[in-house]
Amino acid sequence: MNGAHDLGGMHGLGPINPEPEVEEPVFHAAWEKRAFGLTLAAGFLGKWNLDMTRHARERQHPVDYLRHTYYENWLAGLERQLLEAGLVTAEELASGKSSGPADEATRKRVLNAERVAAVLSNVSPVTMAVDTQPCFQAGDRVCAINRHPIGHTREPRYVRGRIGVVYQYHGAHIYPDRNAAGSKEGHHLYSVRFEASALWGESANEGSAVYVDLWEDYLQPA
């Protein structure tokens, strides 16, 4: 979807002023740590996947998405998913109090503290075996398809309709557009090099390039 989360190439948002990496804390406040933990723990209830989580954050009103901090967006997405999955009611969310116990199947999936390390070290791979051959190889000229899906996608707006060159083939990975809709499918994934001038025109830095990981469904021969 074309939302406030897809900011590449947009003007008017002010200068980027990142904290030095060696000085930046993992969390800037205690509540951020709790939001991070809640999001991971709720994910292990098995009601949604990573791409559904990303799409939940993207579906905020654009004003809300832009005014929120990073972990405020995480929390807003989690609240939406808890409501949509029927794990909480709007009244429970507003009051912070449960009106009753969860069903037995949900209680069996609760991530207890003693299981966290083992569960996090046993995550599922995102690569998948597929029975189709990739359509492209390194060196092929490709064009990012100018498509505007209303669902989740990892094809940024600033590359759509632009021509690049396949730099590397990554194998088949979970296709996020379908995964966000609940269908786990493996599609071929490539790293594509775009000359900065192809993306930004006359304002591009001379000699610069941008590498973007794009699924085969986003590409066509140039």
Side-chain angles (χ1 to χ4, degrees):
M1 63 182 297
N2 295 336
H5 61 283
D6 190 358
L7 297 176
M10 294 182 65
H11 293 134
L13 297 172
I16 297 173
N17 186 27
E19 297 173 271
E21 190 169 344
V22 295
E23 300 176 10
E24 183 181 9
V26 177
F27 301 104
H28 291 79
W31 74 264
E32 292 185 343
K33 185 185 299 185
R34 292 178 64 84
F36 177 80
L38 282 169
T39 301
L40 292 188
F44 284 105
L45 295 176
K47 301 292 187 180
W48 52 75
N49 59 50
L50 178 60
D51 292 302
M52 291 175 176
T53 295
R54 288 173 172 148
H55 191 41
R57 298 168 193 161
E58 295 166 356
R59 286 184 286 138
Q60 295 179 75
H61 190 284
V63 172
D64 292 331
Y65 189 96
L66 292 174
R67 71 180 176 84
H68 283 159
T69 64
Y70 182 75
Y71 281 111
E72 284 175 336
N73 280 325
W74 274 48
L75 190 57
L78 177 59
E79 290 175 351
R80 177 188 289 272
Q81 289 184 289
L82 291 171
L83 288 168
E84 291 178 346
L87 292 171
V88 301
T89 65
E91 292 75 19
E92 289 174 322
L93 194 60
S95 68
K97 296 180 180 180
S98 173
S99 61
D103 60 76
E104 184 178 357
T106 299
R107 294 200 304 271
K108 287 181 177 179
R109 294 188 63 102
V110 170
L111 183 61
N112 297 318
E114 59 270 17
R115 296 176 51 227
V116 170
V119 169
L120 291 181
S121 64
N122 190 35
V123 294
S124 301
V126 295
T127 55
M128 294 185 68
V130 296
D131 56 7
T132 60
Q133 294 298 312
C135 290
F136 307 108
Q137 60 183 2
D140 286 349
R141 295 179 74 248
V142 292
C143 179
I145 299 173
N146 187 9
R147 50 195 286 281
H148 299 268
I150 60 174
H152 178 63
T153 186
R154 301 303 295 275
E155 182 187 8
R157 278 178 290 180
Y158 68 85
V159 303
R160 298 174 193 171
R162 309 301 189 191
I163 293 175
V165 176
V166 173
Y167 174 74
Q168 185 177 9
Y169 171 58
H170 291 309
H173 287 236
I174 296 174
Y175 181 47
D177 302 47
R178 296 290 299 135
N179 199 42
S183 178
K184 186 177 180 180
E185 304 171 12
H187 292 211
H188 300 293
L189 177 65
Y190 308 86
S191 174
V192 180
R193 174 189 168 107
F194 294 90
E195 297 299 328
S197 57
L199 301 177
W200 317 123
E202 295 179 353
S203 61
N205 293 331
E206 185 177 354
S208 296
V210 177
Y211 293 79
V212 184
D213 286 341
L214 297 171
W215 273 263
E216 192 168 274
D217 305 71
Y218 305 160
L219 302 171
Q220 61 188 7

